[in-house]
Amino acid sequence: MSHQLGRVVSEILHRYFGELVQQVGNDLFIYGSKPISMIVKTTGLPRKQVIESLRTLLKFDLASFEPSVHEVVADYKLLPDNVLLLIRYPRYLLQIKSKYGTEAELLVEELLQQATSTATGLLVTVATKNKDDKEKNITILKLRDTFVSLATAGYIQQAPVADTKEGSSDVPSLVPVATIVPDLDTRQLLHAMTTGSLADIKDNIYWKVNYDRFHQDFRDDIMVKAMTRRIDDNAGELMRLLLQQMYLSSAAWAAESNPTPALDIREAVRRAADKSLLSQHVDHYLKVLEENGAGFVRRVGDAGGGQLVVCGRRAAGRLLEAVLDHVVTERLGSNAARIFRLIRAKKYIEEDDIQKHAMLPNKECKELTYKLLEEHFISVQPMRKAASAGGMAKAIYLYHIKTHDVAHTAQELCYRALHNCLRRAAHERNKHARLRDKQRRVRTIVHGMRMRGEPQQNIDDVEETLTPPELALLKDVEKRLKQLSAAELELDRNLFILNWYFMYSK
Amino acid sequence: MSSNKNDDPISDKILNIAKKNPKGISDKDIIAAVPDLSSAELVAAINKLLQQGVFDLFNQGGSLIYRLKAQTSKQAVKGADNEEKVVYNLIEEAGNKGIWIRDIRVRSNLANTQLTKVLKSLESKKVIKAVKCVNASKKKVYMLYNLEPDRSISGGAWYQDQDFESEFVDILNRQCLRFLQQRADKIKNNPKGPILGRTQSFATAVEVQKYITDLGISNVKLEVEDVVTILNTLVYDGKAESNVYPDGSKVYRAIESLIPPPGLVQVPCGVCPLVFKCCSTGLVTPQDCKYMDEWLEN
Ligand code: SF4
């Protein structure tokens, strides 16, 4: 695991959980897996704080544990990939809100914050929190229905339970359980709402958010959008339907889905019939998607109009290439990108031929090729000809692209960039911490005064303790932080594509 | 051959037939053409012509063939010494692809200094010329003066005096893209269906060639294969894709990248030349990075 990943993870832990957790996280990242006593020793933190931090990490599924060789103590291990997901939270919320509405958003948000919760606990908490919000009009019944839909669609799932079978070691292990969509008693819920206590309800099934389900949505979205860009909306819609069909018969992340009969697709299009152009020309769209859709879809066999396969692996590869093309273009210019793509198209190519096909001046072409080499976007393979007479043995240099390595280069770059954004944001926060604090205090006071109905004059007086230059500065900082967090989200999207690609190349 | 003043009519007649048969003529052809000729006169006439170096003599299937030498050939030979002749022949043989000085030396067995002198003298007589080779800038090849260098030597339309005209290529690249983009949207929501739309958004190289020619931006005549070369640069730019029609002809269509610019290129670090030197502490840090400052300003 790379040093850069460690830096990002460390920053993220610092932002969300503070310095102590960051220290423990760093320690675990560097040493792989180790027991508590060792963490105490290397970090020099009091044992209690270490345990506290570990508890946080475990709760949010950012670390795991397993029995060490001695069987009586546990070794702890950081899960850096899960730490990275912390910055993805806003996207989960956005996604679920657009699909299932505000209730779902509230539920998922609460569940993400609590990491795990019982169904009733979650519902009652969310309902209580939003009791007074007339606008949203949240009722526990609506929440319950939403909860059931979310569980059915797999966005939330039952948390793994500790396996306490005797005979195994002293350290429990967590085993996943199949999710059963719960049957929640309305009366009990309403009762709990009025009394405000959960004591009467026996509910010991814990729930958590199923990230993978969200990631499937993200993946589908990328594919659909790509087809929309490449062909048109109808092709995008067709892609969506194809993916839906795929889920019925294949594993979500299969490198290649099981074949779906074209008949089924046609049927699905007919049912979703608001795209009249699509339903008129389904077969044509299928053909165009297959031939001009960057290889996302492949046809197998001809029986009964043929069968279609969604090629997840190939799609990931193509999207990775698109990412790399953009990166090369921005870093080294469009002519370098031309050379980069040329090398990819030809697989192996000699320097002279690069110049010939890229149609660039000799000198520029060479310079760019060497720059690409220097930044590890391309590789070179010398081929020595058998020594011929008279010192004429000239080695030929074949340029080529090691996609997997380049993807790693891009990933490292993303980690660096992400780290820098996080770091910069932390810096901005720190620098203006005092002022931001003040603003917060003023806001609370003003809020309190409004609630109490104090005269506007007094409120204004309090508000004016923030001078105009201070306000301007605050606005400025706010803007920067917003820009930085938008960038973090974008970088996360970028990493998503890279990770999707790596999923198949392990 | 007008320069070749032959007073006697027999020689003229023989030359005439020879001109009509560039592959060469035999004794029989001559007799057929000039029937009222004694064999002695014939021999005398031919000998005279051979002496003048007008003919090359070949032995083909047992009979002698006379072939007319090219005009320059004769000029070169005129007043030339043996070395020049040898070198000249080698160069002539190489045709419009030219021959490299090394190869001349090896094959003529001439010493370097002598060869240079010979080449100089031939050059000054405007019998041969040296042409710079486009794909190896230091390499010069020699060919006959009146020949048009082969594309592989001159680089074709893209070279002006062996200099690559990148601006010209750029302009063509842009114009080709413009042409493709004009029709690219035909595939989108085409009421006649996407296959027809796709066909409408495709362009063949011939169509593009016509468009470019009509634009009149090129004073060199562009062949279809030149246009294909340019179209291929568009493919390598990621701005077009090519398909092959069932009849084997290639067609092109303007496309967009599968994704909008990804996160990495939206932040300054993704394009930063210092990114590998940037650390948490030290001279280059994200905290006081100028690029970040600028980026956060707007
Ligand atoms: S923080 Fe600044 S110096 Fe560092 S990589 Fe980013 S842009 Fe470059």
Side-chain angles (χ1 to χ4, degrees), chain A residues 107 110-111 114 116-129 139-141 143-145 147-148 151 156 158 180-208:
Chain A
L107 285 173
E110 186 64 29
L111 194 53
Q114 297 196 8
T116 55
S117 165
T118 62
T120 35
L122 180 69
L123 293 177
V124 171
T125 322
V126 174
T128 319
K129 270 192 188 167
T139 69
I140 193 145
L141 292 183
L143 284 173
R144 189 202 55 178
D145 293 344
F147 185 91
V148 171
I156 51 178
Q158 284 181 23
I180 301 157
V181 177
D183 195 12
L184 298 165
D185 188 344
T186 321
R187 232 171 342 119
Q188 275 186 349
L189 282 174
L190 286 173
H191 181 69
M193 267 302 280
T194 42
T195 59
S197 118
L198 290 166
D200 306 347
I201 304 176
K202 272 204 227 77
D203 186 354
N204 50 11
I205 299 174
Y206 280 81
W207 293 81
K208 65 176 203 141

Side-chain angles (χ1 to χ4, degrees), chain A residues 147-379:
Chain A
F147 185 91
V148 171
S149 340
L150 290 182
T152 317
Y155 289 97
I156 51 178
Q157 64 185 10
Q158 284 181 23
V161 292
D163 178 13
T164 44
K165 257 188 282 152
E166 69 273 15
S168 55
S169 70
D170 295 347
V171 180
S173 57
L174 294 173
V175 286
V177 282
T179 296
I180 301 157
V181 177
D183 195 12
L184 298 165
D185 188 344
T186 321
R187 232 171 342 119
Q188 275 186 349
L189 282 174
L190 286 173
H191 181 69
M193 267 302 280
T194 42
T195 59
S197 118
L198 290 166
D200 306 347
I201 304 176
K202 272 204 227 77
D203 186 354
N204 50 11
I205 299 174
Y206 280 81
W207 293 81
K208 65 176 203 141
V209 172
N210 180 13
Y211 300 121
D212 194 62
R213 182 66 187 78
F214 283 92
H215 296 168
Q216 287 164 29
D217 277 4
F218 295 161
R219 190 265 316 262
D220 293 357
D221 218 48
I222 297 176
M223 288 178 78
V224 170
K225 284 223 180 84
M227 284 306 103
T228 308
R229 284 172 73 90
R230 193 43 70 82
I231 304 170
D232 67 359
D233 304 341
N234 300 310
E237 184 59 25
L238 185 62
M239 188 74 230
R240 187 182 298 285
L241 292 169
L242 265 166
L243 285 163
Q244 272 170 21
Q245 291 290 323
M246 176 189 94
Y247 283 121
L248 299 180
S249 63
S250 313
W253 297 96
E256 293 217 331
S257 73
N258 293 324
T260 310
L263 262 175
D264 291 1
I265 308 286
R266 249 172 261 150
E267 194 46 46
V269 170
R270 205 156 300 136
R271 259 181 281 124
D274 56 331
K275 289 263 180 192
S276 63
L277 206 57
L278 178 56
S279 51
Q280 252 178 51
H281 301 284
V282 194
D283 289 328
H284 285 188
Y285 266 109
L286 278 175
K287 192 156 174 54
V288 170
L289 194 60
E290 180 196 333
E291 289 174 1
N292 296 71
F296 283 20
V297 175
R298 191 163 65 85
R299 188 184 292 262
V300 289
D302 281 325
Q307 299 192 307
L308 292 142
V309 170
V310 177
C311 310
R313 178 191 297 166
R314 187 148 13 130
R318 283 292 148 75
L319 289 161
L320 169 76
E321 285 172 3
V323 171
L324 296 178
D325 289 351
H326 275 295
V327 174
V328 173
T329 311
E330 294 301 322
R331 284 190 73 82
L332 302 175
S334 56
N335 285 345
R338 182 187 291 179
I339 297 175
F340 183 65
R341 273 199 210 82
L342 169 66
I343 298 178
R344 185 165 66 223
K346 302 278 179 200
K347 303 237 164 46
Y348 286 89
I349 185 168
E350 268 187 75
E351 193 168 324
D352 287 351
D353 290 338
I354 296 182
Q355 201 266 331
K356 207 156 81 205
H357 291 288
M359 299 290 289
L360 295 171
N362 223 331
K363 188 149 164 266
E364 185 186 354
C365 192
K366 273 198 186 127
E367 271 173 20
L368 290 175
T369 310
Y370 297 149
K371 278 223 184 86
L372 282 166
L373 208 54
E374 192 180 308
E375 299 217 353
H376 304 292
F377 289 119
I378 60 175
S379 315

Side-chain angles (χ1 to χ4, degrees), chain A residues 420, chain B residues 268-269 272 275 278 284 286 289 291-292:
Chain A
N420 292 349
Chain B
C269 306
C272 171
V275 65
C278 186
V284 188
C289 165
Y291 302 112
M292 280 263 188

Side-chain angles (χ1 to χ4, degrees), chain B:
Chain B
M1 280 306 133
S2 51
S3 64
N4 181 34
K5 296 274 175 288
N6 270 306
D7 307 323
D8 73 293
I10 306 174
S11 302
D12 266 358
K13 275 186 185 159
I14 297 176
L15 277 173
N16 271 337
I17 337 164
K19 265 189 238 169
K20 279 182 208 137
N21 298 289
K23 279 209 182 117
I25 47 173
S26 64
D27 281 342
K28 276 194 209 118
D29 294 327
I30 300 177
I31 294 169
V34 207
D36 50 345
L37 207 63
S38 75
S39 56
E41 277 174 314
L42 181 72
V43 170
I46 288 180
N47 275 344
K48 195 172 147 216
L49 286 170
L50 279 175
Q51 257 172 16
Q52 286 176 353
V54 181
F55 279 131
D56 275 336
L57 195 57
F58 292 92
N59 188 345
Q60 200 175 61
S63 63
L64 288 175
I65 300 283
Y66 311 94
R67 192 201 291 164
L68 211 56
K69 280 189 184 176
Q71 176 190 14
T72 42
S73 176
K74 213 161 50 54
Q75 282 180 350
V77 174
K78 229 188 252 167
D81 52 20
N82 271 333
E83 283 87 10
E84 283 188 16
K85 266 187 219 167
V86 171
V87 172
Y88 177 85
N89 282 338
L90 285 171
I91 293 175
E92 185 186 29
E93 222 172 83
N96 66 354
K97 288 234 163 66
I99 181 167
W100 194 20
I101 186 162
R102 254 191 78 96
D103 294 331
I104 304 182
R105 197 172 64 221
V106 170
R107 292 178 51 189
S108 65
N109 257 332
L110 288 174
N112 218 345
T113 42
Q114 201 181 5
L115 178 58
T116 330
K117 223 163 70 199
V118 171
L119 286 172
K120 271 245 173 67
S121 117
L122 285 174
E123 250 182 296
S124 65
K125 286 186 208 155
K126 291 206 188 299
V127 178
I128 62 166
K129 62 182 169 187
V131 177
K132 260 194 267 164
C133 208
V134 290
N135 40 24
S137 53
K138 293 253 168 55
K139 193 164 152 180
K140 268 198 292 191
V141 295
Y142 289 94
M143 66 181 69
L144 294 192
Y145 192 77
N146 55 353
L147 290 180
E148 182 70 21
D150 187 75
R151 260 166 188 271
S152 64
I153 305 298
S154 72
W158 320 121
Y159 289 83
Q160 181 90 56
D161 302 329
Q162 279 70 53
D163 283 330
F164 183 72
E165 293 209 80
S166 56
E167 276 130 59
F168 182 44
V169 172
D170 276 352
I171 292 172
L172 288 176
N173 173 291
R174 250 173 280 143
Q175 289 301 335
C176 287
L177 180 62
R178 226 186 48 241
F179 183 68
L180 293 185
Q181 276 170 343
Q182 279 169 4
R183 46 174 77 193
D185 276 345
K186 290 273 173 27
I187 198 174
K188 291 203 169 26
N189 296 315
N190 193 309
K192 297 213 182 83
I195 291 206
L196 214 93
R198 182 178 63 176
T199 315
Q200 287 174 359
S201 70
F202 277 147
T204 63
V206 177
E207 285 174 290
V208 181
Q209 184 208 20
K210 184 170 179 310
Y211 169 77
I212 297 288
T213 314
D214 290 350
L215 274 182
I217 42 174
S218 163
N219 40 19
V220 196
K221 167 126 178 54
L222 291 177
E223 304 294 331
V224 174
E225 61 181 289
D226 295 329
V227 176
V228 168
T229 313
I230 295 291
L231 285 169
N232 281 337
T233 63
L234 282 176
V235 174
Y236 300 133
D237 282 341
K239 291 176 182 150
E241 68 176 4
S242 70
N243 274 58
V244 180
Y245 267 169
D247 66 357
S249 62
K250 260 189 157 188
V251 284
Y252 295 83
R253 167 174 103 92
I255 54 165
E256 281 196 57
S257 169
L258 287 172
I259 49 169
L264 191 53
V265 301
Q266 293 182 30
V267 294
C269 306
V271 294
C272 171
L274 296 173
V275 65
F276 295 107
K277 298 206 178 81
C278 186
C279 297
S280 312
T281 55
L283 282 178
V284 188
T285 65
Q287 293 93 299
D288 342 281
C289 165
K290 290 272 174 313
Y291 302 112
M292 280 263 188
D293 288 346
E294 264 168 43
W295 174 64
L296 289 172
E297 274 322 303
N298 42 55

